[in-house]
Amino acid sequence: MKIDSPTWVDVLYQNIWPPHIVNYNNWPQNPPEYRKANDEYCKYLVPLVDRLFEYLSTGLDLEKNVLKEALGGENMTMLLKINYYPPCPRPDLALGVAPHTDMCTVTLLVPNDVPGLQILKDDHWIDVKYNPNSIIMNIGDQLEISSNGKYKSVLHRTTVNKDRTRMSWPVFCEPPEDLVIGPLPQLISVENPAKFKSKNYKDYAYCKLNKIPQ
Ligand SMILES: O=C(O)CCC(=O)C(=O)O
Ligand SMILES: [Fe+2]
């Protein structure tokens, strides 16, 4: 599957995604207004996530519903986090968030226009460009595990800016906590054995947050 081909992005934009809602400028200034904005955002995220999982499933040569079902189906939850990175007098000495992978299935993120997100590729930190009216998708650990490593959970970090405040609004798509996730049986064989343990998401999260080996 060509995940970066313009065709599927076009499809998402034309069929689902109203560009006006993506830009960070549409987020409210005050927390009490977040409930409404969040509800509206969620209305668009749910079909977007469905569509993404269909593409991701097809990319593994599986029926399009398989991946989403394996990761919780309609019981998946979406967790919105708001990151706030104030200006930092010594950006050369500090990071916004330390290098990590997201432990969820996928993350959909809207940043403001202050650069800062970086991903590790071939041992180099690469800046993720700010694109107005677009969202950034990270592959998370549960997708790496269920695909038996075919999709890679992306190592990323954020830098801080000397003069400007950076903000980002990631939504983490999470499986139910008691769901056991492991490499999909369809993807493992004698030649291609499971590369990851199967465990429930709650235990996975506990180990990850407490830096206990999985
Ligand atoms: O602020 C960003 O762009 C990324 C934040 C992040 O990686 C996270 O909250 O998990
Ligand atoms: Fe992250």
Side-chain angles (χ1 to χ4, degrees):
M1 181 183 62
K2 273 204 191 142
I3 197 144
D4 58 352
S5 87
T7 353
W8 76 272
V9 175
D10 289 348
V11 171
L12 288 178
Y13 266 74
Q14 284 159 18
N15 293 352
I16 298 178
W17 201 256
H20 74 273
I21 205 166
V22 182
N23 195 288
Y24 71 92
N25 285 313
N26 294 308
W27 287 99
Q29 297 298 312
N30 289 307
E33 294 161 37
Y34 261 85
R35 180 181 289 268
K36 194 162 162 278
N38 209 17
D39 280 350
E40 200 183 339
Y41 190 41
C42 211
K43 265 195 253 156
Y44 291 102
L45 275 192
V46 170
L48 174 68
V49 169
D50 284 352
R51 190 70 68 91
L52 287 169
F53 274 110
E54 287 177 9
Y55 284 115
L56 290 163
S57 215
T58 313
L60 296 169
D61 286 328
L62 300 170
E63 293 292 320
K64 59 185 189 179
N65 63 322
V66 171
L67 203 49
K68 184 174 170 195
E69 287 310 313
L71 292 168
E74 297 310 313
N75 295 322
M76 235 188 257
T77 55
M78 301 223 227
L79 179 71
L80 172 73
K81 177 183 170 201
I82 304 167
N83 290 311
Y84 184 87
Y85 310 99
C88 172
R90 291 297 304 269
D92 53 321
L93 297 180
L95 283 172
V97 284
H100 67 283
T101 57
D102 293 341
M103 64 182 151
C104 55
T105 63
V106 293
T107 305
L108 300 174
L109 180 143
V110 179
N112 73 353
D113 57 348
V114 179
L117 178 59
Q118 296 182 321
I119 59 159
L120 193 71
K121 186 166 187 292
D122 305 328
D123 291 331
H124 294 288
W125 288 105
I126 314 272
D127 292 323
V128 175
K129 265 203 234 146
Y130 169 69
N131 244 328
N133 298 332
S134 71
I135 53 170
I136 294 162
M137 182 180 103
N138 290 345
I139 301 281
D141 297 349
Q142 303 312 310
L143 197 52
E144 173 164 325
I145 294 168
S146 49
S147 70
N148 203 26
K150 285 211 167 138
Y151 293 129
K152 304 271 183 252
S153 190
V154 63
L155 190 65
H156 56 285
R157 69 177 190 183
T158 58
T159 57
V160 279
N161 190 281
K162 196 166 188 328
D163 309 305
R164 296 186 62 199
T165 293
R166 179 163 188 275
M167 285 187 76
S168 69
W169 293 261
V171 171
F172 303 107
C173 301
E174 301 201 307
E177 58 177 26
D178 53 0
L179 183 71
V180 175
I181 296 174
L184 290 172
Q186 300 92 317
L187 301 178
I188 54 178
S189 61
V190 179
E191 301 80 54
N192 191 25
K195 297 189 175 99
F196 303 89
K197 275 190 205 154
S198 297
K199 59 162 65 174
N200 70 39
Y201 186 55
K202 190 168 151 193
D203 292 346
Y204 186 92
Y206 181 84
C207 290
K208 177 125 178 166
L209 294 170
N210 292 291
K211 299 189 170 43
I212 300 167
Q214 293 291 347

